Amino acid sequence: MKFLTKVNRTYFILLIAMFFLISVISYFVIRKIIEDEAKENLTERVAVIEKRIRESGILPDIYPIVKARKVVRTENIAKPFATVFISHETNDEYQKYIEYRTISKINGNYYLITVRQSVVENKELLLTIAISLFLILLLTFTITYFLSKGLTRKLWSDFEFNLTQIEDFDFNKKEKLLLRNTSIEEFNRLNSVVMKLTEKLEKDYHNLKEFSENASHELQTPLSVISLHLEEILQEDLPRNISEKVYSAYQSVKKLSKINQGLLLLTKIDNRQFTENESLSFMEILRNKIEELNPLVQSRQITVETKIIDDFVVLANSQLIDILLNNLLSNAIIHNLKNGFITIKLQKDKFTVCNTGKPIGFDNKTIFKRFTKGDSGSYGLGLAIAKRICKASGLDIEYRYEENRHCIIIRKNQ
Amino acid sequence: MKILIVEDEKALLSTVGNFLTKQSYICELAENFQTADQKVSIYEYDIILLDITLPDGNGLQLLKTIQKYNSKAGVIIISAKNSLDDKINGLDLGADDYITKPFELAELNSRIKALIRRRQFNGSSLVAFNEIEINTDSKEVTVKGNKIVLTKKEYDLLLFFIVNRNRVLTKEAIAEHLWQDNIDLADNFDFVYTHINAVRKKIKQAGGNDYIKTQYAMGYKFTDS
């Protein structure tokens, strides 16, 4: 949820609650005021009527608001004020009245004076209060909403800008993280913290990258020395058990060197050392690759089927795509069965390589992780490299095992 | 045939030096940029093996001196960096070939031989071993004068064997020579076996001897002894 939405929602809920609370309170307060006013009015009116009776002796009788009659003194009034409902003659509606009864002694006679005043009914009062309050609150809310929206957009614009900068920031790009200074102290504090943190992280990251790249390079020379010496020892006429050991050491050195080269390649892809992109036709590259790999395919009696629906063209580094296709196709050959099949399918936005083969002995999801390997004696870097190349080239790579076939699907990501 | 080896790693320098001396080349060694620079500007070499990462200078810089004083020499760059940039730079500056560490001596040998064949035209395009003759210009192979037809990989394989005769060639070295880094074959070398059998069969059919001897499980040796 966006900050502004959150604020507005809270604000809205608060207003609704306030609306009900204020409605209830104002209902009681206003009702009390009206009633008090009416009572005061009525007592004043009684005084006027008493005066009139005293002077003229006429008993006023105006239904339903005034009535006076002569009574015997004994009557006593427990509750002088009462609320009564009286229906009009014209229609059936009942009207609410506040009634005040009192007994006055005028010129030695006792009179019961009843005065009534119509008051607004509770229902109507409540409705009026609710509507007016609602309108006021709605107006307030609308005004504040647009005001705060405008204000927030202005206040947060620098923050939004900085956020986009941070989102787009990539250690591998050579650009530095530049954050805009704002007029708000808290944002500036955040900026300086983020900048400091990124600087430190970037330094660490580059040190690490440099270290792994240097380490890989530096390893190549000693590996060369070991491998050359072992190669020379293998030339000697040695007892079989010794030469087997030397050969095994030689194989390990080869493997070590392959792993090293693979890791170096991964580092290089991460370091974006392959930046020159060009438009590449998979159809064309594949034609050459399949021809090149034909001897391998034949030696394992594998049948290769190619379905071309449309050419798959990507904008990428030719060296990387070459490595990608080498890895995928050699996997399809190595992890295949004798007399197996390889199916290659080219579509406008999809490239699929499927091969027959035994199911892999590990979780599908880990297949692109480095050093995940089956029992084929491979180094477990081929698909990790493939994935990294895809990522660097704007492609998505996916693995599926369907109907005893391993399928690698590459799609252009949007 | 005079070869200058420029390499700062002593063990590597002496191993390569010894190997090439055994192959009857005259070898001179340079351990650093300074020595190499001097040697190149004074003496003449046929082949220069050049490590481009030297402690006291960039090997690519040496290429310029070589162009100036030793333009006839064939240059093979040895690099720990398997980077395309270095390769392109090197080849642009006049290097003839590029080999990445760690390399096989057999591979180095076949690169040197190929370079020599390319550099000298009079009759040197012929590689022979007893009754087998390979013309590296026309890529034709004859056994006892009979032409045999080999696929590209089979041809490469036979040439690699003959150039590195009497040497144990491991399956790994053969696979690397045939496919370079293009393919991660893991431990699947059955195709090497398939190619070797095809070559054996074709030579036999043309009346030749089988010189390819199996060395336990590790590799093969091309020899008539």
Side-chain angles (χ1 to χ4, degrees):
Chain A
M1 198 186 287
K2 277 203 157 195
F3 180 80
L4 193 59
T5 323
K6 179 94 185 165
V7 166
N8 277 333
R9 189 163 298 181
T10 320
Y11 189 52
F12 191 70
I13 291 168
L14 199 72
L15 273 179
I16 295 282
M18 262 166 64
F19 167 68
F20 281 107
L21 194 72
I22 293 175
S23 297
V24 170
I25 294 171
S26 18
Y27 168 70
F28 286 108
V29 170
I30 291 172
R31 199 177 70 167
K32 182 88 172 71
I33 291 170
I34 289 174
E35 278 181 12
D36 285 352
E37 193 66 26
K39 282 172 188 170
E40 206 185 304
N41 235 342
L42 288 174
T43 41
E44 274 170 18
R45 209 184 291 168
V46 166
V48 173
I49 291 165
E50 279 172 352
K51 195 183 164 208
R52 194 108 168 255
I53 293 171
R54 194 176 300 125
E55 285 168 1
S56 64
I58 300 165
L59 298 181
D61 186 1
I62 307 163
Y63 183 80
I65 53 169
V66 181
K67 194 183 166 127
R69 64 184 166 94
K70 219 174 185 176
V71 288
V72 187
R73 159 87 192 86
T74 50
E75 271 180 78
N76 222 350
I77 290 154
K79 275 184 183 170
F81 288 101
T83 307
V84 292
F85 290 89
I86 294 161
S87 77
H88 271 270
E89 288 160 357
T90 43
N91 53 35
D92 286 342
E93 250 181 58
Y94 281 88
Q95 184 81 39
K96 188 188 173 193
Y97 287 89
I98 288 192
E99 190 185 71
Y100 176 58
R101 294 197 301 163
T102 186
I103 291 173
S104 312
K105 192 185 171 189
I106 305 165
N107 302 335
N109 295 317
Y110 291 99
Y111 296 92
L112 170 67
I113 301 169
T114 309
V115 282
R116 296 191 185 110
Q117 183 172 344
S118 92
V119 287
V120 190
E121 254 186 273
N122 289 356
K123 213 164 68 188
E124 281 167 19
L125 178 68
L126 202 64
L127 203 70
T128 317
I129 293 170
I131 289 171
S132 41
L133 255 180
F134 179 73
L135 284 176
I136 291 168
L137 287 181
L138 188 74
L139 200 69
T140 325
F141 179 72
T142 319
I143 291 170
T144 16
Y145 174 77
F146 284 107
L147 207 71
S148 71
K149 202 171 162 181
L151 196 68
T152 317
R153 191 173 292 157
K154 198 164 161 281
L155 287 177
W156 290 77
S157 69
D158 288 332
F159 180 79
E160 286 280 346
F161 172 84
N162 287 341
L163 204 62
T164 327
Q165 288 289 103
I166 297 171
E167 271 169 353
D168 292 346
F169 181 67
D170 189 338
F171 283 141
N172 288 319
K173 286 184 195 154
K174 296 264 150 73
E175 300 148 22
K176 279 221 151 223
L177 179 66
L178 281 176
L179 298 179
R180 202 188 273 169
N181 253 339
T182 70
S183 54
I184 296 162
E185 202 196 320
E186 284 87 346
F187 289 170
N188 286 342
R189 260 171 62 202
L190 184 69
N191 283 359
S192 74
V193 169
V194 168
M195 296 240 264
K196 252 183 225 157
L197 200 65
T198 354
E199 248 166 59
K200 189 175 169 354
L201 281 176
E202 197 175 3
K203 216 168 132 194
D204 289 353
Y205 178 79
H206 284 300
N207 278 345
L208 195 68
K209 288 270 160 200
E210 209 179 278
F211 170 76
S212 32
E213 199 175 336
N214 285 349
S216 297
H217 274 152
E218 290 305 315
L219 280 177
Q220 295 294 43
T221 306
L223 280 174
S224 298
V225 175
I226 301 172
S227 138
L228 289 186
H229 282 318
L230 291 174
E231 201 193 327
E232 282 301 84
I233 297 169
L234 282 177
Q235 303 304 323
E236 306 291 327
D237 215 359
L238 297 168
R240 187 168 173 163
N241 64 333
I242 293 175
S243 81
E244 267 170 6
K245 274 176 196 154
V246 175
Y247 180 60
S248 160
Y250 165 89
Q251 282 182 309
S252 298
V253 171
K254 286 267 153 209
K255 208 166 197 168
L256 198 59
S257 148
K258 281 263 163 65
I259 293 170
N260 198 31
Q261 278 169 2
L263 289 175
L264 194 57
L265 180 63
L266 280 175
T267 319
K268 278 183 180 169
I269 299 170
D270 282 353
N271 285 351
R272 314 252 161 154
Q273 288 184 12
F274 302 90
T275 44
E276 275 167 49
N277 285 348
E278 53 191 297
S279 178
L280 300 168
S281 151
F282 267 46
M283 194 163 76
E284 218 168 280
I285 304 170
L286 271 173
R287 194 182 295 136
N288 296 330
K289 277 271 164 282
I290 292 170
E291 199 185 299
E292 196 190 321
L293 295 175
N294 201 31
L296 279 182
V297 170
Q298 279 178 353
S299 77
R300 304 200 112 204
Q301 279 125 44
I302 293 166
T303 315
V304 181
E305 292 165 8
T306 318
K307 276 188 228 163
I308 300 171
I309 294 161
D310 202 343
D311 194 1
F312 185 78
V313 182
V314 289
L315 187 72
N317 181 285
S318 63
Q319 224 188 328
L320 288 184
I321 296 298
D322 197 60
I323 296 169
L324 173 72
L325 289 177
N326 279 338
N327 284 357
L328 295 186
L329 294 178
S330 49
N331 269 349
I333 297 169
I334 291 160
H335 304 295
N336 214 321
L337 308 168
K338 210 150 198 168
N339 301 312
F341 290 90
I342 295 176
T343 323
I344 299 165
K345 202 169 149 194
L346 277 175
Q347 280 157 281
K348 195 168 178 8
D349 47 10
K350 197 170 152 193
F351 164 66
T352 322
V353 187
C354 292
N355 64 277
T356 46
K358 283 182 275 179
I360 49 170
F362 46 87
D363 189 4
N364 279 2
K365 284 171 198 147
T366 64
I367 197 163
F368 293 111
K369 287 215 170 127
R370 51 180 91 156
F371 302 123
T372 302
K373 52 204 164 196
D375 45 11
S376 62
S378 62
Y379 312 115
L381 281 176
L383 282 179
I385 290 170
K387 172 141 198 187
R388 227 50 94 74
I389 291 175
C390 282
K391 207 180 150 201
S393 315
L395 300 170
D396 286 331
I397 188 165
E398 187 194 336
Y399 166 80
R400 272 189 210 160
Y401 186 71
E402 287 171 345
E403 295 158 19
N404 300 321
R405 275 167 197 253
H406 301 283
C407 287
I408 294 283
I409 303 147
I410 291 182
R411 284 190 186 87
K412 289 177 194 168
N413 60 21
Q414 265 77 52
Chain B
M1 201 65 62
K2 233 170 114 184
I3 299 186
L4 174 69
I5 310 163
V6 186
E7 165 66 62
D8 61 310
E9 177 67 40
K10 276 182 202 162
L12 206 62
L13 187 64
S14 65
T15 313
V16 174
N18 284 341
F19 168 73
L20 291 177
T21 312
K22 263 191 246 161
Q23 300 285 313
S24 53
Y25 295 105
I26 301 152
C27 291
E28 285 200 24
L29 312 177
E31 244 182 75
N32 51 45
F33 184 88
Q34 207 69 45
T35 326
D37 201 50
Q38 274 172 15
K39 282 190 189 263
V40 167
S41 46
I42 299 168
Y43 307 108
E44 261 190 32
Y45 299 96
D46 298 290
I47 304 279
I48 297 169
L49 302 181
L50 180 61
D51 184 342
I52 52 172
T53 41
L54 296 168
D56 56 340
N58 190 334
L60 290 175
Q61 205 60 41
L62 265 180
L63 272 174
K64 287 177 186 157
T65 322
I66 294 168
Q67 289 293 304
K68 204 167 162 190
Y69 300 102
N70 243 308
S71 56
K72 275 187 204 153
V75 180
I76 299 175
I77 288 177
I78 300 171
S79 172
K81 289 186 191 173
N82 188 7
S83 90
L84 195 70
D85 287 349
D86 277 353
K87 196 167 178 172
I88 291 171
N89 281 340
L91 297 182
D92 273 354
L93 286 169
D96 298 271
D97 206 347
Y98 185 97
I99 193 166
T100 318
K101 284 180 191 175
F103 52 84
E104 299 269 336
L105 288 172
E107 184 63 36
L108 182 66
N109 187 31
S110 88
R111 300 279 186 104
I112 292 173
K113 289 262 166 65
L115 186 52
I116 292 169
R117 284 200 304 272
R118 265 185 286 158
R119 289 257 152 176
Q120 303 174 327
F121 299 104
N122 23 353
S124 66
S125 60
L126 219 58
V127 177
F129 186 87
N130 296 349
E131 70 272 26
I132 303 167
E133 277 187 0
I134 300 176
N135 183 321
T136 53
D137 279 343
S138 59
K139 309 221 167 191
E140 270 179 3
V141 182
T142 55
V143 177
K144 285 188 176 166
N146 304 317
K147 204 177 138 188
I148 60 169
V149 181
L150 299 177
T151 65
K152 191 178 172 304
K153 295 287 172 201
E154 287 163 7
Y155 169 85
D156 287 346
L157 181 70
L158 183 63
L159 187 60
F160 189 57
F161 268 131
I162 293 181
V163 165
N164 291 295
R165 64 190 74 164
N166 298 322
R167 220 181 138 71
V168 176
L169 299 176
T170 59
K171 289 180 291 190
E172 286 83 356
I174 295 170
E176 247 176 64
H177 178 74
L178 292 183
W179 301 96
Q180 282 88 41
D181 285 338
N182 285 348
I183 186 158
D184 173 10
L185 286 163
D187 291 335
N188 299 267
F189 295 112
D190 39 358
F191 74 94
V192 171
Y193 181 73
T194 316
H195 284 325
I196 286 171
N197 268 2
V199 173
R200 269 181 177 149
K201 213 167 122 193
K202 284 176 183 173
I203 292 172
K204 256 190 205 161
Q205 273 171 354
N209 293 310
D210 179 15
Y211 297 115
I212 306 174
K213 306 279 174 353
T214 310
Q215 298 286 311
Y216 309 132
M218 66 173 99
Y220 303 89
K221 192 176 189 173
F222 199 84
T223 177
D224 58 355
S225 60

